[in-house]
Amino acid sequence: MYNLLKGKRGIIFGALDENSIAWKTAERVHEEGGVFVLSNSPASIRMGSIMQLAQKTDSKVIAADATSVADLENLVDQAMEIIGGKIDFVLHSIGMSVNVRKGNHYTNQNYEYTEKAWNVSAVSFHKVMQVLYKKDAMNEWGSIVALSYMAAQRVFPDYNDMADNKAYLESIARSFGYFFGRDKKVRVNTISQSPTATKAGQGVKGFDGFIAFADKMAPLGNASALDCANYTVSMFSDLTKMVTLQNLLHDGGFSNMGVSQQVMEMFE
Ligand code: NAI
């Protein structure tokens, strides 16, 4: 432990259970001296085990549907009161596709579901930042991170409408990041993470196949949820204060590979 986040305060969205990337991040942020409020949707708070995490990290949980601006305003007001000041770091670790859940193929979308997933997985990031920006809730040199996936740039057929949502999410990071940087000296980035065995990850059809494929392609293998948490800690720390508007690939090298020896051997 390096005390990298000593004196820093934040909000962490999206810890559902102990497999969640946000869960590991909350544990690591706590170990590095950061204090925070945890948030998730009311249904996920009921269904998941976030209260255990709250106890473990000595933090409070505030429910917010990330698609509701009113919920987010309430969350940010309450969070500043609880942690005793403005915010230094925010993790947006939120994703959900109804088409994926219902098994609707990409070529056979129900557009009500498409819109719902877009709102939850992408526009919610804009909403979170707009609420923080308007309330002037972020400290200078604060850091905002959202989690993305490579299907934003390349075709992974079964990633479905989430591919489009991730592309939109990454674009919001750049567009809002400009204004947040210029006006408040706050940095905004997305981390594009390896496939990871979580509730959201395992919901994707063919997940076992593509997590194994990515692992065999990447020279370092897949990055775990804990690795992602560590990277996020570094992005929240002062050591990365000039990094903004980036989509940061955190994938063991997968994204720059053409083919690996291990994968080739399967076809020889
Ligand atoms: P997870 O299922 O543990 O987390 C997803 C979270 O989104 C849950 O806590 C859920 O309650 C929350 N959520 C859904 N609807 C919400 C709403 N309306 N308001 C507030 N919160 C809501 O899964 P995981 O994998 O930890 O997902 C976190 C992020 O990482 C997501 O953005 C996901 O797309 C991204 N990601 C995941 C990868 C994977 O393979 N698992 C790979 C790359 C990125």
Side-chain angles (χ1 to χ4, degrees):
M1 308 316 133
Y2 312 94
N3 258 332
L4 280 174
L5 303 179
K6 195 162 179 242
K8 294 199 188 291
R9 310 171 170 116
I11 301 177
I12 296 179
F13 289 91
L16 176 71
D17 58 33
E18 61 183 8
N19 297 319
S20 300
I21 298 169
W23 185 289
K24 308 276 187 229
T25 309
E27 289 180 333
R28 285 294 295 118
V29 168
H30 179 64
E31 284 168 2
E32 293 296 338
V35 296
F36 48 84
V37 158
L38 295 165
S39 184
N40 212 326
S41 66
S44 296
I45 291 174
R46 276 196 308 276
M47 280 159 28
S49 37
I50 197 170
M51 289 305 175
Q52 284 170 31
L53 178 66
Q55 211 170 22
K56 211 173 155 187
T57 58
D58 204 13
S59 51
K60 293 256 183 312
V61 178
I62 299 173
D65 175 346
T67 64
S68 158
V69 172
D71 281 12
L72 292 170
E73 284 174 343
N74 173 58
L75 164 66
V76 169
D77 287 343
Q78 280 203 52
M80 286 198 288
E81 236 178 85
I82 293 167
I83 58 186
K86 285 208 209 182
I87 294 160
D88 301 293
F89 61 85
V90 176
L91 176 66
H92 176 288
S93 183
I94 298 171
M96 190 277 306
S97 159
V98 195
N99 282 307
V100 167
R101 277 198 193 165
K102 304 262 185 194
N104 291 345
H105 193 259
Y106 187 74
T107 57
N108 185 35
Q109 302 274 292
N110 170 322
Y111 292 116
E112 269 173 42
Y113 296 166
T114 309
E115 207 173 310
K116 169 93 182 151
W118 168 73
N119 202 2
V120 170
S121 310
V123 183
S124 66
F125 191 39
H126 194 287
K127 291 178 177 172
V128 167
M129 287 198 280
Q130 186 164 299
V131 168
L132 292 164
Y133 182 91
K134 283 189 171 173
K135 286 187 179 293
D136 196 21
M138 294 293 296
N139 274 323
E140 280 198 358
W141 302 109
S143 173
I144 301 173
V145 168
L147 295 180
S148 193
Y149 181 56
M150 256 264 302
Q153 289 84 29
R154 303 201 185 161
V155 178
F156 291 82
D158 292 322
Y159 206 63
N160 214 316
D161 54 336
M162 282 305 288
D164 307 327
N165 294 332
K166 290 304 190 193
Y168 200 99
L169 178 89
E170 290 176 13
S171 180
I172 289 173
R174 288 185 293 271
S175 302
F176 218 124
Y178 167 70
F179 296 105
F180 241 136
R182 184 194 69 180
D183 301 341
K184 319 260 188 198
K185 293 264 181 298
V186 168
R187 57 202 199 272
V188 181
N189 297 284
T190 48
I191 293 178
S192 185
Q193 160 69 6
S194 292
T196 314
T198 61
K199 179 105 191 329
Q202 282 163 323
V204 177
K205 190 167 152 252
F207 180 80
D208 290 347
F210 83 70
I211 195 174
F213 172 72
D215 198 46
K216 288 198 165 32
M217 279 287 275
L220 299 180
N222 286 333
S224 68
L226 178 59
D227 293 324
C228 187
N230 283 328
Y231 192 30
T232 304
V233 164
S234 79
M235 290 308 299
F236 288 165
S237 82
D238 292 334
L239 299 176
T240 52
K241 72 190 260 256
M242 295 308 285
V243 182
T244 195
L245 311 187
Q246 303 300 315
N247 179 48
L248 304 160
L249 291 153
H250 185 253
D251 62 1
F254 175 84
S255 47
N256 265 353
M257 290 298 295
V259 73
S260 69
Q261 196 72 48
Q262 264 185 304
V263 168
M264 234 153 53
E265 277 162 13
M266 299 171 89
F267 294 92
E268 279 167 358

